[in-house]
Amino acid sequence: KQFITGSESKTVETVREQIETDRAGAERAAHSLKGVAGTIGATELQTCAQALETAIHDKADIETQLTLVGEELKPFAK
């Protein structure tokens, strides 16, 4: 339940908001999601979050990763 209401469930929005002004914050958001996903056993979400974190760090195009993370988060939405 905490995952559904926590900041990790809003990672896509957070990254979109921060990517231009606070890349480190965007990367932390993806990293946090990766950790929580691993803790709850959501391995596909964890893998997608890792790819997003890496793309942010490498200053690569993140749109594909954001889409994949968003799709993996849908089952957890309220």
Side-chain angles (χ1 to χ4, degrees):
K1 184 175 180 178
Q2 284 181 312
F3 177 73
I4 294 169
T5 60
S7 61
E8 288 82 12
S9 68
K10 296 173 181 44
T11 298
V12 172
E13 294 86 357
T14 301
V15 169
R16 286 192 189 283
E17 290 170 3
Q18 294 182 339
I19 195 65
E20 295 299 323
T21 59
D22 184 11
R23 185 171 285 272
E27 189 174 343
R28 277 191 306 277
H31 181 80
S32 179
L33 176 61
K34 177 184 74 176
V36 172
T39 299
I40 65 171
T43 56
E44 288 297 320
L45 179 56
Q46 183 181 27
T47 299
C48 291
Q50 172 63 57
L52 176 59
E53 180 184 8
T54 299
I56 294 167
H57 179 78
D58 293 346
K59 297 182 180 173
D61 180 35
I62 62 168
E63 285 307 312
T64 300
Q65 285 74 27
L66 282 172
T67 299
L68 293 171
V69 167
E71 289 297 315
E72 288 297 322
L73 281 170
K74 279 183 184 178
F76 299 100
K78 289 190 202 180

